[in-house]
């Protein structure tokens, strides 16, 4: 796709941080929210080290934890976040010439996040993927990372069970591609037929925070809910990183009108 491109997103975030600080804002890192008290007069947000921030309104954009944060704030999420890991391979340097730009398949409208593609990275290197497999923890970046209560929460969710019943064949195909490199390679060969298993080495993985409805549907659009004094971003699928400034603008408009009394 000649008209598309990529950025170094860590640098984008760093620039945003600098601009927030230049505008008089504060960026606080390593603050794991554990408790929220949305009272009549303010919101009190307490972290794992028992520090508390008091504010008039809040925006929850906690990705994989966003439904839990909404619950902490006194709301009842209409969806549950189900974590789907996307795994990549990297092209070995001597085969990077196979991909000079970004190569995408035509998306399947029922599963827009499925379909491996090739991404020539901004600092060099070519990523191939991702697939989509159920992560065994909300932050399960590989098969070894397992969190019993996260997994139990997913497996006992009616929406997930309905989804699994409907699409078990698709899910099994994704697991097969995760566990067998040859199957992953054959998916990549639909885009670059000359690619071989020896051209690839294991790369990084990311976990999608996918909102699933009680009816077993994957929410494919942005889903933003409001509770007292708070806005909650419950589903922000790709390309939400690319579109983050536009989405942020919309949320800021809504924030202005959020009731504080
Ligand atoms: C494999 C993969 C490939 C993707 N490719 C693209 C792409 O090419 N283009 C694109 O636009 N998008 C892409 N996306 C999607 C993009 O990453 C998301 O749309 C975007 O990150 C959503 O932003 P967010 O701010 O809502 O959540 P996130 O980016 O997930 O941020 C949530 C933040 O909340 C923090 N948090 C969570 N819980 C707590 C807590 N209790 N206390 C404090 N902080 C907390 C987390 O640490 C994190 O920093 C991809 C996603 C994946 C997984």
């Amino acid at each position: 796709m000649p008209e598309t491109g990529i950025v170094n997103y860590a640098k984008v975030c760093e620039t945003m941080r600098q601009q927030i600080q230049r505008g008089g804002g504060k960026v606080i890192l390593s603050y794991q929210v554990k408790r929220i008290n949305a009272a009549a007069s303010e919101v009190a947000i307490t972290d794992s080290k028992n520090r508390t921030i008091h504010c008039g309104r809040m925006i929850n954009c906690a990705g994989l934890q966003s439904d839990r944060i909404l619950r902490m704030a006194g709301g009842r999420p209409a969806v549950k976040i189900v974590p789907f890991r996307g795994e990549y391979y990297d092209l070995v340097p001597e085969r990077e010439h196979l991909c000079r730009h970004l190569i995408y398949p035509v998306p399947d409208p029922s599963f827009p996040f499925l379909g491996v593609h090739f991404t020539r990275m901004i600092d060099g290197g070519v990523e191939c993927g991702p697939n989509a497999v159920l992560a065994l923890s909300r932050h399960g970046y590989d098969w070894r990372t397992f969190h019993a209560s996260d997994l139990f929460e997913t497996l006992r969710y009616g929406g997930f069970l309905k989804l699994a019943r409907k699409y078990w064949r698709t899910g099994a195909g994704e697991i097969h591609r995760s566990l067998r490199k040859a199957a992953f390679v054959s998916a990549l060969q639909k885009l670059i037929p000359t690619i071989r298993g020896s051209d690839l080495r294991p790369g990084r993985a990311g976990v999608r925070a996918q909102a699933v409805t009680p009816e077993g549907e994957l929410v494919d659009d942005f889903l933003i809910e409001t509770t007292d004094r708070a806005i909650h971003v419950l589903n922000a699928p790709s390309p939400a990183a690319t579109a983050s400034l536009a989405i942020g603008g919309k949320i800021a408009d809504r924030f202005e009108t959020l009731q504080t009394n």
Side-chain angles (χ1 to χ4, degrees):
M1 292 177 66
E3 71 278 13
T4 190
I6 61 164
V7 293
N8 177 329
Y9 211 76
K11 286 197 176 150
V12 171
C13 291
E14 177 52 25
T15 303
M16 286 183 190
R17 182 180 71 85
Q18 287 169 9
Q19 294 200 351
I20 289 168
Q21 288 174 333
R22 229 175 278 140
K26 211 168 165 185
V27 177
I28 303 171
L29 301 176
S30 304
Y31 192 96
Q32 190 186 359
V33 176
K34 284 287 186 192
R35 211 169 53 245
I36 297 171
N37 186 6
S41 55
E42 63 156 28
V43 185
I45 304 168
T46 304
D47 84 337
S48 51
K49 294 180 185 149
N50 235 7
R51 297 171 293 186
T52 300
I53 292 173
H54 299 269
C55 54
R57 296 168 289 181
M58 63 166 251
I59 299 171
N60 156 21
C61 43
L64 286 156
Q65 302 290 337
S66 55
D67 54 342
R68 291 175 176 167
I69 297 278
L70 186 149
R71 213 176 270 284
M72 281 182 213
R76 291 190 62 197
V79 294
K80 187 174 283 298
I81 299 298
V82 175
F84 285 100
R85 185 173 60 253
E87 300 161 327
Y88 290 88
Y89 281 93
D90 292 326
L91 273 186
V92 294
E94 52 279 19
R95 297 288 277 168
E96 281 173 11
H97 64 272
L98 288 174
C99 173
R100 280 179 285 122
H101 202 52
L102 308 179
I103 308 175
Y104 286 96
V106 175
D108 172 350
S110 10
F111 299 104
F113 70 58
L114 289 191
V116 290
H117 54 265
F118 291 84
T119 310
R120 178 167 271 281
M121 304 304 283
I122 206 149
D123 298 322
V126 176
E127 287 192 341
C128 320
N131 57 3
V133 290
L134 179 69
L136 306 182
S137 151
R138 290 244 179 154
H139 301 276
Y141 290 90
D142 54 46
W143 281 112
R144 289 180 301 278
T145 308
F146 168 82
H147 195 283
S149 67
D150 279 358
L151 185 59
F152 186 60
E153 189 182 333
T154 299
L155 296 181
R156 64 196 279 271
Y157 176 49
F160 175 75
L161 297 177
K162 286 180 192 152
L163 178 77
R165 255 198 303 276
K166 259 190 284 187
Y167 300 119
W168 66 269
R169 225 179 264 278
T170 308
E174 290 296 313
I175 293 171
H176 180 58
R177 273 184 285 284
S178 170
L179 299 176
R180 271 201 70 227
K181 187 178 181 182
F184 203 106
V185 172
S186 84
L188 292 172
Q189 282 170 338
K190 294 198 175 104
L191 299 177
I192 302 184
T194 52
I195 212 154
R196 300 280 168 267
S198 55
D199 298 337
L200 302 167
R201 60 180 179 211
R204 299 185 294 180
V207 182
R208 301 173 186 86
Q210 176 63 54
V212 176
T213 68
E215 293 74 38
E217 299 299 331
L218 298 168
V219 180
D220 61 3
D221 203 351
F222 305 121
L223 177 63
I224 300 173
E225 289 192 9
T226 306
T227 57
D228 284 349
R229 297 179 170 273
I231 292 176
H232 306 268
V233 181
L234 284 184
N235 199 59
S238 183
T242 307
S244 59
L245 292 178
I247 301 167
K250 292 273 177 220
I251 293 171
D253 290 344
R254 229 195 244 202
F255 193 66
E256 291 304 320
T257 60
L258 197 63
Q259 288 299 329
T260 54
N261 49 30

